[in-house]
């Protein structure tokens, strides 16, 4: 495992797992949202695709995303391992709700210095609404990719619950060979 893609729906814990593995394995962790949003007003990095391609061409990395269609195939083609956090809505929704509430109420700065605002909660692409509306679509898309011969050979480890993920990490299966 040298090129790891952590996939799943918003709120599944992709960044947390990717960061943990980066520290454990000594691999560079790249937070996709931080690469994508680089300025106020959720400004998008005009060099996003090129920057991700440059990183993905490297010998070792961990990315925490499944989103961003402009780089999705590239990452699946370059990855040697996909860790799929395939958690049900009943797990993901409370997580993303708590995170967004905390960010909104505490006015935490996130990507590009932005903050989640109460008015954004009514937008269809707000993380809580996105996790609710896109859960089945995202799950089906990842499932198709897992079996797509374009991405072979690719080691896929699917976790159906946070307990499975924790057991994998604690049991040494998450150790770098």
């Amino acid at each position: 495992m040298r090129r790891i893609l952590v996939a799943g729906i918003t709120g599944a814990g992709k960044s947390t797992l990717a960061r943990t593995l980066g520290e454990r394995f000594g691999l560079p962790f790249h937070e996709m949202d931080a690469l994508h949003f680089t300025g106020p007003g959720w400004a998008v990095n005009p060099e996003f695709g090129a920057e991700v391609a440059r990183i993905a061409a490297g010998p070792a990395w961990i990315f925490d995303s499944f989103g961003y269609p402009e780089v999705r195939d590239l990452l699946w083609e370059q990855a040697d391992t996909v860790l799929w956090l395939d958690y049900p809505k009943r797990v993901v929704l409370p997580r993303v709700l708590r995170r967004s509430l905390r960010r909104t109420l505490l006015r935490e700065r996130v990507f590009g210095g932005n903050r989640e605002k109460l008015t954004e909660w009514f937008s269809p692409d707000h993380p809580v609404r996105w996790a609710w509306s896109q859960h089945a679509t995202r799950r089906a898309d990842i499932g198709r990719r897992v079996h797509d011969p374009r991405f072979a050979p690719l080691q896929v480890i699917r976790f159906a619950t946070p307990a499975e993920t924790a057991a994998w990490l604690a049991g040494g299966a998450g150790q770098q060979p």
Side-chain angles (χ1 to χ4, degrees), residues 12-164:
K14 299 179 302 295
S15 299
T16 301
L17 179 59
R19 189 175 294 109
T20 298
L21 292 175
E23 291 169 3
R24 180 178 288 187
F25 298 165
L27 297 176
F29 160 59
H30 304 279
E31 190 168 16
M32 192 68 76
D33 288 338
L35 292 170
H36 190 258
F37 297 110
T38 58
W42 301 98
V44 174
N45 177 1
E47 299 297 320
F48 173 69
E51 189 170 351
V52 171
R54 180 188 56 74
I55 296 166
W61 44 258
I62 300 176
F63 278 101
D64 68 335
S65 182
F66 180 72
Y68 305 111
E70 63 267 39
V71 296
R72 190 176 296 152
D73 283 349
L74 169 72
L75 291 175
W76 279 74
E77 289 164 358
Q78 296 296 322
D80 60 34
T81 304
V82 171
L83 303 177
W84 179 11
L85 303 182
D86 187 19
Y87 301 160
K89 274 186 179 180
R90 65 179 156 60
V91 170
V92 172
L93 287 175
R95 287 177 168 196
V96 73
L97 182 61
R98 280 190 304 269
R99 182 184 73 190
S100 283
L101 276 171
R102 185 192 73 239
R103 286 177 175 176
T104 301
L105 295 174
L106 299 179
R107 299 182 39 81
E108 291 180 11
R109 289 192 184 275
V110 291
F111 323 107
N114 293 288
R115 292 185 170 109
E116 286 190 35
K117 299 175 186 166
L118 185 58
T119 55
E120 294 169 348
W121 282 65
F122 302 102
S123 167
D125 60 350
H126 184 271
V128 173
R129 292 185 65 184
W130 185 261
W132 174 263
S133 68
Q134 297 299 310
H135 187 275
T137 303
R138 177 71 51 93
R139 185 171 192 263
D141 195 6
I142 294 171
R144 279 190 298 276
R145 287 173 174 279
V146 162
H147 301 291
D148 189 327
R150 291 180 302 157
F151 307 122
L154 180 64
Q155 177 184 16
V156 177
I157 303 172
R158 179 185 167 268
F159 303 103
T161 67
E164 286 181 8

